Amino acid sequence: MTAGSQERSSRRALPLAYIAVHDKTPLMRVLYASSNIRLALQFEPDEVLGLSAFSFIVNQRVGEYKLKFGQPSDESVVISNTVVYNKSGSPVYLRIIHFNCDDIAFNVAMTYPDVPAGTDDAAAEARRQAFEEQCRQQSTVYRSRGRFLQACLVLEQQQHQRMDDDAVVWGPRVVFASKSFETIVNLDSSDVQGLSFLELVKTDDAVKAAQFLERVAESQTVVVEKLQLVNRGWADGRQVCVEVIAAGSDDGAIILCRPDRLATRALPVDESGYASLEDIISSDPETSGLSDAWNF
């Protein structure tokens, strides 16, 4: 571990956050879980892949979760809450920053040990309700305006290497790019996987992008920035200005990208403005744009 990563770990405060992604089919199958789920819920990431999200949510919260996250919505980013079981069967209270993109739910889940997960007594229930009301007051933090193109990236943290002269930072890397990301940078989603996020950013914005990622790793809420991404479809490497909305933890991040309509020409999209679920997840890993772990 580098000095930089040690410093981030020492600065990290509760709540502990992890990333979980599931589809919006009736079963809400888990497609990805970051390594921090081991610390938060004691599950190995591979143990939860392909399972229904309802396998973990307490029965009293299933209906509420379906209503919030189980159907299409024009709310691109929402803050909410739920209660899940950890591996030992104990309830754990989660605050969720939910990104809605391409019929997939991208969630940053934060554990709050001090918030009661059950209703054992009146005082505990009052504390929980007060915290949930605080979440509701800032519930919808970002709403889609019309049928604009947007895409999601899931980033996985890796060691950061710094150069004293130019402050070069190599990570985190992209482990998933939604199909619609191709339209923004003219690079196949499968080719984006494995790249450092900074490789997608125009050189002039590299330092700003690195600072943005640092803020995301240290924040407990949504971070917004404007960055110039390199459009690979043009020989001169011209850029696309995008609004990036992100949340995460020290083990990764979710980044929602939208072309900045004030600085970027209109990009072609289909009638709905989004790629279909069939385009995102297919049974053929060679054509789905996803690794084998995303196909069930």
Side-chain angles (χ1 to χ4, degrees), residues 104-116:
I104 294 179
F106 298 82
N107 295 326
V108 177
M110 290 170 274
T111 61
Y112 282 80
D114 294 335
V115 177

Side-chain angles (χ1 to χ4, degrees), residues 1-5 8 157-172 198 210 214:
M1 181 180 291
T2 65
S5 60
R8 281 194 308 280
Q157 195 63 269
Q158 62 183 21
Q159 287 190 351
H160 287 52
Q161 299 178 358
R162 297 179 181 273
M163 301 292 292
D164 292 336
D165 50 355
D166 295 323
V168 175
V169 185
W170 298 98
L198 295 181
E214 290 283 348

Side-chain angles (χ1 to χ4, degrees), residues 42-208:
Q42 291 81 57
F43 288 105
E44 291 294 324
D46 290 346
E47 288 184 274
V48 303
L49 293 183
L51 299 180
S52 169
F54 306 135
S55 302
F56 311 98
I57 301 171
V58 300
N59 291 338
Q60 300 93 319
R61 295 295 190 111
V62 168
E64 180 184 36
Y65 192 89
K66 284 182 179 179
L67 183 63
K68 289 180 179 177
F69 304 138
Q71 52 194 352
S73 171
D74 64 351
E75 296 175 338
S76 297
V77 184
V78 175
I79 296 177
S80 188
N81 57 79
T82 194
V83 179
V84 300
Y85 292 116
N86 63 17
K87 192 170 184 178
S88 65
S90 300
V92 178
Y93 188 94
L94 297 181
R95 179 173 179 262
I96 297 174
I97 300 178
H98 168 82
F99 293 76
N100 181 41
C101 182
D102 286 352
D103 291 329
I104 294 179
F106 298 82
N107 295 326
V108 177
M110 290 170 274
T111 61
Y112 282 80
D114 294 335
V115 177
T119 56
D120 297 334
D121 56 67
E125 175 69 5
R127 292 202 309 274
R128 183 185 61 77
Q129 289 185 357
F131 184 83
E132 292 186 358
E133 179 60 28
Q134 180 183 354
C135 288
R136 275 192 288 271
Q137 290 175 1
Q138 55 175 329
S139 176
T140 302
V141 296
Y142 189 85
R143 182 184 293 270
S144 297
R145 297 180 294 274
R147 297 289 187 175
F148 290 161
L149 173 68
Q150 61 183 22
C152 256
L153 299 175
V154 178
L155 308 185
E156 187 175 84
Q157 195 63 269
Q158 62 183 21
Q159 287 190 351
H160 287 52
Q161 299 178 358
R162 297 179 181 273
M163 301 292 292
D164 292 336
D165 50 355
D166 295 323
V168 175
V169 185
W170 298 98
R173 66 188 182 93
V174 179
V175 293
F176 170 67
S178 64
K179 187 71 173 178
S180 50
F181 193 71
E182 298 176 16
T183 311
I184 297 177
V185 297
N186 285 298
L187 185 65
D188 189 271
S189 295
S190 60
D191 294 330
V192 174
Q193 294 178 54
L195 295 180
S196 164
F197 176 72
L198 295 181
E199 293 182 73
L200 303 172
V201 177
K202 195 170 186 291
T203 304
D204 295 347
D205 270 5
V207 172
K208 182 166 73 169

Side-chain angles (χ1 to χ4, degrees), residues 218-282:
E218 297 165 5
S219 177
Q220 296 177 14
T221 187
V222 174
V223 179
V224 181
E225 186 59 88
K226 288 187 178 180
L227 296 173
Q228 297 178 86
L229 303 185
V230 177
N231 189 321
R232 304 298 181 98
W234 297 91
D236 58 3
R238 69 181 64 181
Q239 72 275 6
V240 178
C241 185
V242 296
E243 182 182 40
V244 287
I245 307 99
S249 70
D250 64 331
D251 77 333
I254 295 171
I255 297 182
L256 182 75
C257 304
R258 284 187 52 176
D260 181 5
R261 295 292 163 170
L262 298 178
T264 309
R265 64 179 179 84
L267 296 174
V269 297
D270 62 20
E271 292 181 357
S272 69
Y274 300 94
S276 68
L277 183 61
E278 289 76 19
D279 287 335
I280 302 164
I281 303 174
S282 78

